[in-house]
Amino acid sequence: MQPVFRFAPSPNGYLHLGHAYSALLNNSLAMAFNGIWLLRIEDIDTTRCRPAFEQALYEDLAWLGLTWPAPVLRQSRELGVYRAALARLDAMGLLYPCAASRQDIAAALARREAGGAASWPRDPDGAPRHPGLVDKLSHTEAEAFTSRGEPVAWRLDMGKALATIAANDSPLVWTRFTAEGELSTVVAQAARWGDVVLARKDIGTSYHLSVVVDDARQGVTHVVRGKDLEAATDVHCLLQRLLGLPTPAYLHHDLIQDSGGEKLAKSRGSTALRELRAGGLTAADIWERLGFAPCPD
Ligand code: GLU
């Protein structure tokens, strides 16, 4: 089976050196493993993604000297597929609707933590962990909300999900791989995420759900992405098990830092590839600076 890698940026800003590193690492590992890599546009977050950033992303990757197979999967065109996966989890009794807004959640949190009570548990992203913070809705209550034009979010009932997989007693694990081809087994700690949102109110899906569905239907065997997404692999692994999808092998690379030692954010213009290009750097300079050499002509 030919290894399939993917680079899956979100067009919510210009690509910076950190993205270039991830793309070049996917490219070099795909070559080293005799595989291919796909480009996937993760643009479900319509509040932040922009066509101009998507266009710039193609230009920047091409400028770097990278090529990828067509057609490119754009998640915003695939919402029906994610809805179907959500419906499957719902049919398994693993979802519940939640109407709480960010403000409702913040207020509930403030109430819980007032008066010196122990701080409420957070998930690995720092968000307050559910359940127990705001009310769960029934499906009937959710229908009433949506018929009034007020969409609801759908959360995974983590307790039920873990009980479901506990019944088939193989442990929830994923395989870590290294550039040298070494493999090790990592136990997924999905419980620390609590009842994660699988469908946001505004877009009807989520990063976790879409990424798992697409990695499976694109036949991705190797996921190479930043360490900032390593903890999310717990949830991905759980969803793969629940939906009967294969779990790829994962490599979470170090994040490229700026000269002050901080993680690069898309908003930092100084390391945007197009700024560097405008400043006179060549693609070969970028390859070399990121430790990939030589850049093919
Ligand atoms: N779309 C995500 C991002 O731009 C990456 C998702 C992934 O590689 O799993 O941060």
Side-chain angles (χ1 to χ4, degrees):
M1 188 174 66
Q2 188 182 39
V4 179
F5 291 68
R6 84 327 188 251
F7 175 56
S10 296
N12 53 16
Y14 291 119
L15 295 189
H16 56 61
L17 278 178
H19 296 105
Y21 180 74
S22 206
L24 291 174
L25 189 60
N26 267 287
N27 179 66
S28 80
L29 290 173
M31 286 195 303
F33 285 62
N34 288 321
I36 57 162
W37 71 273
L38 310 172
L39 174 63
R40 182 166 76 223
I41 303 294
E42 300 209 328
D43 58 350
I44 51 171
D45 188 345
T46 45
T47 58
R48 295 169 66 220
C49 294
R50 300 271 174 276
F53 290 136
E54 182 180 338
Q55 200 47 47
L57 187 158
Y58 297 131
E59 287 165 16
D60 291 347
L61 293 175
W63 173 72
L64 274 180
L66 297 175
T67 55
W68 52 89
V72 170
L73 190 152
R74 298 167 70 230
Q75 291 189 323
S76 58
R77 303 297 165 97
E78 309 288 328
L79 299 180
V81 180
Y82 313 134
R83 251 196 312 274
L86 194 71
R88 241 182 104 189
L89 294 168
D90 193 28
M92 293 163 76
L94 299 179
L95 301 183
Y96 66 86
C98 176
S101 64
R102 272 176 203 278
Q103 291 89 321
D104 295 335
I105 292 172
L109 195 61
R111 277 197 301 277
R112 300 279 178 161
E113 290 183 343
S119 65
W120 189 261
R122 302 292 203 276
D123 72 20
D125 279 349
R129 213 156 69 194
H130 292 254
L133 198 51
V134 291
D135 289 340
K136 293 182 178 183
L137 294 185
S138 68
H139 282 58
T140 318
E141 285 167 323
E143 272 165 35
F145 268 90
T146 40
S147 63
R148 290 200 300 271
E150 295 175 41
V152 295
W154 290 84
R155 288 183 182 275
L156 180 71
D157 186 321
M158 184 58 76
K160 279 192 192 166
L162 291 174
T164 304
I165 64 156
N168 91 15
D169 51 20
S170 73
L172 194 63
V173 292
W174 52 272
T175 300
R176 173 181 286 141
F177 73 99
T178 66
E180 294 71 38
E182 286 153 16
L183 305 179
S184 54
T185 299
V186 182
V187 176
Q189 303 167 57
R192 62 181 167 159
W193 285 93
D195 294 354
V196 280
V197 170
L198 292 188
R200 280 170 38 174
K201 285 181 183 184
D202 54 347
I203 53 179
T205 183
S206 60
Y207 160 63
H208 294 311
L209 185 65
S210 314
V211 84
V212 158
V213 167
D214 286 341
D215 281 342
R217 69 199 178 110
Q218 294 194 289
V220 172
T221 56
H222 293 73
V223 172
V224 174
R225 59 185 178 191
K227 277 219 160 73
D228 52 340
L229 292 172
E230 183 157 8
T233 311
D234 297 335
V235 178
H236 301 174
C237 198
L238 173 61
L239 291 176
Q240 286 149 357
R241 177 72 69 84
L242 293 169
L243 291 166
L245 304 174
T247 295
Y250 292 87
L251 183 161
H252 296 100
H253 58 73
D254 286 339
L255 300 178
I256 299 290
Q257 299 183 327
D258 67 12
S259 44
E262 281 194 51
K263 180 185 153 186
L264 297 180
K266 287 190 181 105
S267 52
R268 287 173 193 239
S270 58
T271 57
L273 293 180
R274 44 196 45 221
E275 296 272 325
L276 298 172
R277 176 160 79 236
L281 287 191
T282 63
D285 295 331
I286 305 284
W287 282 58
E288 202 185 316
R289 183 159 160 188
L290 294 173
F292 298 93
C295 166
D297 293 328

